[in-house]
Amino acid sequence: MPFSSPASLRGRIAATRRHHPETDLTELKREHAAAKIAAYVEKTVAEAPPLTDEQRDRLATLLRGDAA
């Protein structure tokens, strides 16, 4: 599932905050954070040489939050 752009999510958060200040923004903030991370990863991967399987596994571990 593709992420919405960080800018559009930032706008949704601002509009919700302005028009419905009582609304819980946790999920929108989570989506915004994920969209920012995805945009950064996409840019970085496009600029980097191909990664080894071990490097990809390590990065996946970091994204899952399993890193010690």
Side-chain angles (χ1 to χ4, degrees), residues 13 46 48 63 65-66:
I13 290 169
L63 289 171
D66 300 338

Side-chain angles (χ1 to χ4, degrees), residues 10-66:
R10 188 175 53 245
R12 283 178 55 198
I13 290 169
T16 301
R17 195 176 274 147
R18 182 172 44 256
H19 298 292
H20 305 283
E22 71 287 350
T23 301
D24 180 7
L25 297 173
T26 303
E27 188 57 34
L28 273 175
K29 289 179 179 181
R30 183 178 293 125
E31 287 182 45
H32 181 247
K36 289 191 320 184
I37 292 167
Y40 179 79
V41 169
E42 287 173 358
K43 178 183 182 300
T44 303
V45 167
E47 295 171 353
L51 301 175
T52 66
D53 288 342
E54 183 179 313
Q55 290 167 328
R56 285 193 300 272
D57 289 345
R58 174 69 178 131
L59 292 171
T61 298
L62 290 170
L63 289 171
R64 282 192 305 268
D66 300 338

